[in-house]
Amino acid sequence: AFVGGDNYAVGKQMAAYLVTKLRNGGKVIEITGDMKSSPAEHRHNGFVDEIRKGNGIEVLTVDAGWEEKRTEHLADSMVRCHPDADAIVAHTDFMADKAKKIIDRKYPDHDILFVGADGFGSPGIGIEAVVKGELDATAIYPTGGDVIIQTALKILQGEDYAKTTMLPSLLVSTPQEAM
């Protein structure tokens, strides 16, 4: 049995958020996980498929291989080369946090959106970072521990069970400004 989140949907949610925020187009830096891995590939594909619905949003994609140090370096160099960047999307909340910290330190006057993924419940990361205004949004990748246990019990008890259970993802963002 498979119980898990949908990385393609996570990518689409991050992009849909940016499409609403960048209504007149813009430039987005996408910092991916290792593009040889299916989670990174699926998040990227969902992201670019959805971002095409935006009005002239340009995406610059760089592969950080899930590494936080590499994320810092890439965020710094990409913003230095593209000072007109409007947003940074990172494939994890930890990567988004590292990108934000380096950009805030090196380019304190740069107004840029930061979007992460996974919706971690760790202190200062993910949802808490959005609540505190440190990240603009995070796409929650559900772990589904309760569903995994329920499915395992059904298997052990010989009951019918779903062979594939895709868990829904949600986007948590800062409150919208008044229009």
Side-chain angles (χ1 to χ4, degrees), residues 16-172:
Y17 172 77
L18 290 174
V19 167
T20 64
K21 297 297 274 185
L22 304 175
R23 293 174 196 230
N24 296 320
K27 188 176 285 187
V28 176
I29 298 166
E30 178 194 20
I31 303 176
T32 72
D34 184 348
M35 286 299 287
K36 294 176 187 160
S37 70
S38 60
E41 180 185 355
H42 295 167
R43 287 179 184 195
H44 169 73
N45 290 342
F47 183 77
V48 296
D49 286 352
E50 187 70 19
I51 208 81
R52 288 184 184 125
K53 297 177 181 177
N55 185 17
I57 297 174
E58 179 184 0
V59 177
L60 306 166
T61 303
V62 290
D63 184 337
W66 305 115
E67 298 174 25
E68 293 173 26
K69 271 293 198 209
R70 187 169 160 99
T71 297
E72 287 178 340
H73 170 73
L74 289 170
D76 179 24
S77 63
M78 291 299 287
V79 170
R80 190 174 345 105
C81 293
H82 303 279
D84 58 339
D86 299 294
I88 291 180
V89 170
H91 279 201
T92 71
D93 293 325
F94 290 106
M95 293 166 65
D97 178 66
K98 291 295 182 187
K100 175 150 177 57
K101 285 179 178 166
I102 194 80
I103 299 308
D104 284 353
R105 189 173 79 238
K106 289 194 156 191
Y107 311 96
D109 296 329
H110 198 349
D111 186 25
I112 191 166
L113 297 168
F114 289 90
V115 179
D118 291 327
F120 288 122
S122 303
I125 301 293
I127 296 169
E128 186 175 311
V130 173
V131 170
K132 289 181 174 180
E134 295 162 0
L135 292 180
D136 295 284
T138 182
I140 296 176
Y141 182 84
T143 56
D146 59 330
V147 178
I148 291 169
I149 291 169
Q150 291 169 4
T151 302
L153 287 172
K154 286 180 180 180
I155 291 169
L156 291 172
Q157 294 170 351
E159 298 175 14
D160 289 338
Y161 62 94
K163 301 289 186 215
T164 301
T165 304
M166 295 301 280
L167 302 171
S169 180
L170 304 168
L171 186 93
V172 176

